[in-house]
Amino acid sequence: MSDRAIIIVGGGLAGLTAAIRVCEQGHPVKLFSYVPVKRSHSVTAQGGINASINIKGEGDSPQVHFEETIVGGDFLANQPPAKGMCDDAPNIVYMLDRMGVPFNRTPEGNLDFRGFGGTLYHRTAFAGATTGQQLLYALDEQVRRYEAQGLVEKFEYWSMQGILKDSAGRCRGITALNMPTMEVRAFQSPAVILALGGSGLVFGMSTNSMINTGSAIMRAFKAGARFGNPEFYQVHPTAIAGTDKRRLISESVRSEGGRVWTYKDGKPWYFFEELYPAYKNLVPRDIASRVIYDVVINKGLGVNGQRFVYLDVSHIDDAVLHRKLGGVLEIYEKFMGEDPYHNPMKVYPAVHYSMGGMWVDYSQMTSMPGLFAVGECDYQYHGANRLGANSLLSCIYAGRVVGKPVVEYSKEILPALAEAEVGEAVQREVSAFEEVFSSNGDENAYAIQDEMGELMDNNVTIVRDNKVLDGVASKLRDLEARLPRIGLRDKGRRMNAEAVFVRELRDRMLYAKMIVQAARLRDESRGAHYKPEFPKRDDANWLKTTLADYTPDGIKISYEPVDVSLLPLRERRYDVKH
């Protein structure tokens, strides 16, 4: 395939949708994926995808969806793109239905919709509790059709290492690592779309797949692409602990009637229902996580004195649970060894989703010409807190948006980069790996990762404190100073996961420093960013997007205004109906 092919890095919902939109215009695509496309992290999404189709006649509409998205994000999202997403949502769900996604249906044969966090409407289309898998497989089938026509070339088990740029600072391709062979190659392209997903490994154990390393997004950042709102990272209120990672227990469990409780004065206390009588167990995730944290940590009311509360569906008919929640309940039973159909589940909040990401304009182009970003790795749609079931929607919508502008941008014929210049870019990556292979220090990369993850998870998630953040920044510097002393145990030259891990660890350390620096500066509480010292949203001083740039002197933080042209500011409340 020629160097005119547009490169897409990432094979989840955003990347596949972008590939479809580009191929619809007859333009070729080179699709790079860290794993086989059907194993992309989108496959793990459980609950559903939002679209205000109003099948149940509740008075829902795309305008209501838009308003709840903006309010749920605490007014930090630019409003025009968020409105575009909500307006297009019904079209997206109907498109997926035509592609063959097996959405649940009503007895009449209509699409079924469930409630979800931050809304009182039934807006979420779903395929049992494996919606992400069904969407990913449907989009993959469409991409395979273009692959058979010769328009798509897949590079699975390849990891992006860097950005190729010309003398004008335009993105002109990537360098990538073939992980089975450890070969580094350069791929020129008129434009590159990053669809990299989240970066949960920065926090150690999260609900993210272990492939969500945060590395490629930091390579783009170091190459000059601006980052937006890095301090806003969502903590999901209901997950289960494991020795390797956290596993999501979907919000759909609560939308289908699951109740969260713990013991108080010897009796069950349904605290969401008491504190938020309007939205009850479906308050937005940032609020739900803080309440559970307060109940367990501050009030000491975790079940049996431990760090969990109960999520209970034992009062719901088994047949209903199996039909609507079978996938997620199977996960709980497999990893906890208990029957969730008849026993309450033990859950606690866990790091889940990045609202922040690469800064992009309304055409999804980053601050670097020729480099686009879509999906969770862009900052565009969710502001300070994402509403449940808006993630799959934003991934697909961003992929649809980017298709036309990226092809239009690619029409300009630029001279190929000089062979020597491309060779130097490849050699830089090869030399970096050679440095890792020759390292014989006494530090263990996995131990440093564990320390960093624990540090971030314990101190930079639900509750943030400026003095604590100062301490975290200092400890991150100490951890960073140990990186040159890492010793590589596996010297193999094929499929060397440890060598890849060592290089990615340096990127994650940079990501962690950026999150902490931005969080330290924002002295207010907004969405997922909560400081008890500054408990209120401060629109006068902080209604602005955080911008992070990589400079020779380190990370530079600046700000820009938020576009609030479509919906006036208002107080965010969930104890009463709006």
Side-chain angles (χ1 to χ4, degrees):
M1 190 175 286
S2 75
D3 289 343
R4 298 301 303 162
I6 290 171
I7 287 175
I8 299 176
V9 185
L13 294 181
L16 292 179
T17 305
I20 292 169
R21 294 292 272 187
V22 170
C23 291
E24 284 175 348
Q25 301 167 77
H27 203 99
V29 165
K30 290 181 179 177
L31 180 62
F32 290 77
S33 181
Y34 202 88
V35 291
V37 165
K38 291 176 77 169
R39 297 299 300 161
S40 299
H41 182 62
S42 299
V43 80
T44 67
Q46 298 169 359
I49 177 170
N50 281 337
S52 293
I53 294 176
N54 197 33
I55 288 288
K56 299 181 184 290
E58 299 169 319
D60 194 14
S61 69
Q63 177 64 24
V64 175
H65 182 191
F66 159 66
E67 292 181 9
E68 292 185 336
T69 294
I70 294 300
V71 174
D74 236 347
F75 286 91
L76 200 64
N78 287 325
Q79 294 181 7
K83 187 175 191 309
M85 176 184 74
C86 297
D87 287 346
D88 199 30
N91 299 326
I92 289 172
V93 167
Y94 285 136
M95 175 193 74
L96 295 167
D97 188 36
R98 291 194 300 272
M99 286 181 179
V101 173
F103 286 119
N104 280 53
R105 294 188 175 271
T106 66
E108 298 82 11
N110 295 319
L111 290 171
D112 199 3
F113 291 83
R114 58 173 39 134
F116 235 70
T119 184
L120 296 176
Y121 297 97
H122 290 78
R123 179 183 298 146
T124 305
F126 62 101
T130 61
T131 309
Q133 181 186 46
Q134 307 310 322
L135 269 56
L136 185 71
Y137 285 13
L139 292 175
D140 178 59
E141 287 177 355
Q142 300 302 313
V143 171
R144 286 171 184 265
R145 180 160 58 89
Y146 290 114
E147 190 176 7
Q149 296 172 12
L151 281 174
V152 174
E153 183 179 4
K154 283 181 182 171
F155 295 81
E156 296 178 323
Y157 292 115
W158 284 75
S159 171
M160 190 191 94
Q161 299 299 296
I163 300 291
L164 296 177
K165 295 196 296 183
D166 62 17
S167 57
R170 293 172 295 203
C171 175
R172 299 296 302 281
I174 65 171
T175 53
L177 173 73
N178 181 332
M179 290 189 286
T181 67
M182 301 301 288
E183 172 198 12
V184 177
R185 287 176 56 190
F187 298 85
Q188 294 194 54
S189 172
V192 173
I193 302 172
L194 301 181
L196 304 169
S199 307
L201 210 55
V202 172
F203 291 86
M205 288 190 283
S206 73
T207 65
N208 286 190
S209 300
M210 303 305 286
I211 61 174
N212 289 22
T213 66
S215 176
I217 197 170
M218 285 296 98
R219 303 289 173 91
F221 177 62
K222 287 190 284 187
R226 175 171 283 174
F227 207 95
N229 290 334
E231 66 268 43
F232 291 96
Y233 224 105
Q234 183 170 87
V235 177
H236 196 286
T238 56
I240 55 176
T243 56
D244 54 346
K245 67 185 297 290
R246 309 293 185 231
R247 289 177 173 84
L248 177 68
I249 300 300
S250 172
E251 201 163 281
S252 59
V253 174
R254 285 173 283 138
S255 75
E256 297 296 345
R259 305 175 74 188
V260 179
W261 62 278
T262 189
Y263 286 106
K264 181 181 180 182
D265 300 327
K267 297 181 292 185
W269 179 35
Y270 298 92
F271 47 86
F272 284 138
E273 298 170 30
E274 178 180 313
L275 297 172
Y276 297 95
Y279 286 75
K280 299 181 180 178
N281 292 283
L282 289 177
V283 291
R285 293 171 179 177
D286 58 325
I287 295 173
S289 292
R290 282 197 292 274
V291 170
I292 293 175
Y293 179 92
D294 181 61
V295 166
V296 172
I297 303 301
N298 297 334
K299 293 182 170 60
L301 293 176
V303 177
N304 298 324
Q306 300 182 62
R307 277 200 174 197
F308 65 83
V309 294
Y310 282 140
L311 173 57
D312 197 350
V313 295
S314 61
H315 55 287
I316 302 173
D317 181 75
D318 284 8
V320 174
L321 292 175
H322 182 75
R323 179 167 59 89
K324 292 189 172 184
L325 300 171
V328 64
L329 298 182
E330 180 183 357
I331 290 173
Y332 185 89
E333 189 166 15
K334 178 177 181 178
F335 288 98
M336 297 296 285
E338 298 175 0
D339 173 14
Y341 287 82
H342 305 109
N343 299 283
M345 293 177 276
K346 303 169 183 175
V347 297
Y348 192 72
V351 169
H352 181 59
Y353 186 92
S354 174
M355 278 76 67
M358 305 309 299
W359 180 93
V360 293
D361 63 19
Y362 292 177
S363 296
Q364 302 293 143
M365 188 187 287
T366 71
S367 60
M368 182 187 298
L371 181 66
F372 297 75
V374 293
E376 189 176 346
C377 75
D378 84 55
Y379 91 113
Q380 185 94 284
Y381 298 99
H382 306 297
N385 172 68
R386 175 176 66 77
L387 290 190
N390 267 357
S391 57
L392 303 187
L393 173 61
S394 64
C395 285
I396 295 174
Y397 178 71
R400 282 161 65 90
V401 167
V402 78
K404 287 187 177 181
V406 74
V407 170
E408 188 65 29
Y409 178 89
S410 301
K411 288 180 179 178
E412 182 180 0
I413 305 298
L414 299 170
L417 296 177
E419 202 169 306
E421 190 178 357
V422 175
E424 287 176 10
V426 171
Q427 188 55 48
R428 279 196 299 271
E429 303 302 331
V430 171
S431 297
F433 272 108
E434 287 301 325
E435 182 182 342
V436 171
F437 278 117
S438 63
S439 59
N440 293 297
D442 58 355
E443 290 283 0
N444 185 298
Y446 296 99
I448 294 176
Q449 163 68 38
D450 288 345
E451 290 182 47
M452 180 188 72
E454 185 175 358
L455 179 68
M456 293 293 290
D457 192 36
N458 289 341
N459 300 291
V460 199
T461 51
I462 299 174
V463 176
R464 294 167 172 178
D465 176 272
N466 282 342
K467 290 182 180 178
V468 173
L469 290 173
D470 288 339
V472 171
S474 176
K475 290 177 182 177
L476 286 174
R477 289 192 292 271
D478 293 342
L479 289 173
E480 189 175 36
R482 292 163 55 186
L483 294 178
R485 303 198 300 273
I486 288 174
L488 192 72
R489 295 172 296 177
D490 181 1
K491 303 291 185 178
R493 294 289 176 147
R494 291 182 65 85
M495 300 188 73
N496 192 320
E498 186 183 6
V500 174
F501 185 90
V502 170
R503 288 208 63 199
E504 292 175 343
L505 177 59
R506 300 175 189 272
D507 301 318
R508 280 193 293 282
M509 194 71 70
L510 176 64
Y511 202 151
K513 290 169 61 180
M514 178 175 61
I515 292 171
V516 172
Q517 185 174 335
R520 175 62 177 84
L521 291 172
R522 185 175 284 271
D523 283 339
E524 67 161 349
S525 291
R526 185 185 297 268
H529 174 76
Y530 174 67
K531 287 183 176 179
E533 187 179 357
F534 305 93
K536 300 294 184 180
R537 191 179 84 195
D538 182 0
D539 291 332
N541 296 301
W542 289 105
L543 182 61
K544 50 190 178 183
T545 296
T546 303
L547 304 176
D549 291 282
Y550 186 76
T551 74
D553 298 323
I555 299 165
K556 178 185 176 182
I557 299 293
S558 59
Y559 301 92
E560 71 174 10
V562 179
D563 186 337
V564 292
S565 58
L566 302 178
L567 185 67
L569 297 172
R570 69 188 191 211
E571 185 181 5
R572 185 172 179 240
R573 293 186 62 182
Y574 294 95
D575 56 334
V576 295
K577 294 182 179 180
H578 298 300

